[in-house]
Amino acid sequence: ALGARAVRSRPAAARVALTAAATWAVVGGTSLGREARAIGGALAAGDAEVARERLPHLCGRDPQALDEQQMARAVVESVAENTSDAVVGALVWGAAAGVPGLLAFRAVNTLDAMVGHKSPRHLRYGWASARLDDLAGWPGARLTALAAVLAGPDRRGAVRAWRADAAAHPSPNAGPVEASFAGALGVRLGGTLAYGGRVEHRAVLNGGAGRPVQVSDIERAVRLSRQVTWLALGACVALRCAVSHGIRKGRG
């Protein structure tokens, strides 16, 4: 009897190990916080050049076009967006479809990062990749925004900014996430951005109630990202348990 139970337990243990390994490989919350804090530390020490060197590790902005306040804003925006893209979105698809869901979401996200930006060479292919990424990221972005509302220091501000400003963002997924983070932290995000020599003028998120981002807000954004991650993880574990129970019940 003991031998039979041991044999039956091996596939379950293997599935748990495989899921843990895939989650570790796909979810990037630890590296996100580490890079954000490294840039924040450099800015707090007055070393803007070191901050400019590290900024491309976190986002695609042109660091030479940014002053210290703009770099701090870029970091907070990247922490917000990547909490959804690199963490919560993967957890949602892992909960819904297991390891294949985790890996498929990361593949879609990576493909969008590679060719999703508009360029003459990859216009059609990039457009399709970007739209697929929008679809895959939709549930994770809404869960991230909701968790930011629940975990943030200003819940009403987060809800207000989400409802008022999210639709003005060019990304259907980054809009709710960045707006809810802006409202929760009481800061203004968005505005003028520079990507590879191209300047974009985006709507300001939480512009009516927020203040300019300060260097100290980087640490606040990282802490909020961690809290959002834990809330999302709890929700996704519950979803995975419900999915597994439904599958077992259907087989029974």
Side-chain angles (χ1 to χ4, degrees):
L2 289 176
R5 283 198 296 270
V7 170
R8 286 196 298 269
S9 68
R10 286 177 185 173
R15 287 196 299 271
V16 170
L18 179 60
T19 301
T23 303
W24 178 84
V26 168
V27 175
T30 301
S31 58
L32 173 63
R34 181 174 61 246
E35 289 297 333
R37 283 178 168 141
I39 298 170
L43 290 173
D47 199 337
E49 289 308 310
V50 170
R52 288 192 178 93
E53 289 176 4
R54 295 196 70 99
L55 189 62
H57 299 172
L58 193 64
C59 65
R61 310 276 177 90
D62 180 3
Q64 302 306 319
L66 304 178
D67 60 23
E68 293 184 13
Q69 191 278 326
Q70 290 170 327
M71 281 192 282
R73 192 191 81 197
V75 172
V76 172
E77 290 171 352
S78 296
V79 167
E81 184 175 3
N82 284 298
T83 299
S84 175
D85 285 347
V87 183
V88 179
L91 292 175
V92 167
W93 283 102
V99 172
L102 282 167
L103 300 181
F105 177 80
R106 177 53 57 218
V108 168
N109 198 247
T110 302
L111 185 62
D112 175 60
M114 293 172 62
V115 299
H117 302 290
K118 292 182 179 179
S119 69
R121 183 178 181 183
H122 297 121
L123 184 59
R124 293 183 179 179
Y125 190 45
W127 178 90
S129 300
R131 297 294 75 77
L132 182 59
D133 184 66
D134 287 343
L135 289 173
W138 195 95
R142 273 71 195 169
L143 179 57
T144 302
L146 177 60
V149 169
L150 296 175
D154 186 351
R155 294 184 178 181
R156 290 184 179 180
V159 172
R160 182 180 60 248
W162 182 1
R163 294 179 62 182
D165 301 328
H169 196 286
S171 168
N173 294 332
V177 172
E178 291 187 21
S180 62
F181 264 69
L185 297 172
V187 299
R188 294 196 300 266
L189 300 179
T192 301
L193 312 174
Y195 288 94
R198 186 180 76 256
V199 176
E200 295 184 14
H201 300 283
R202 296 182 178 177
V204 176
L205 307 177
N206 199 36
R211 56 170 173 76
V213 175
Q214 301 172 358
V215 174
S216 59
D217 292 317
I218 293 176
E219 179 61 30
R220 296 177 65 224
V222 171
R223 288 201 301 266
L224 179 57
S225 175
R226 289 283 179 87
Q227 292 167 334
V228 166
T229 297
W230 282 111
L231 283 175
L233 179 61
C236 290
V237 168
L239 173 61
R240 187 60 188 167
C241 290
V243 170
S244 298
H245 177 72
I247 291 174
R248 289 194 300 269
K249 189 175 180 179
R251 288 175 178 173

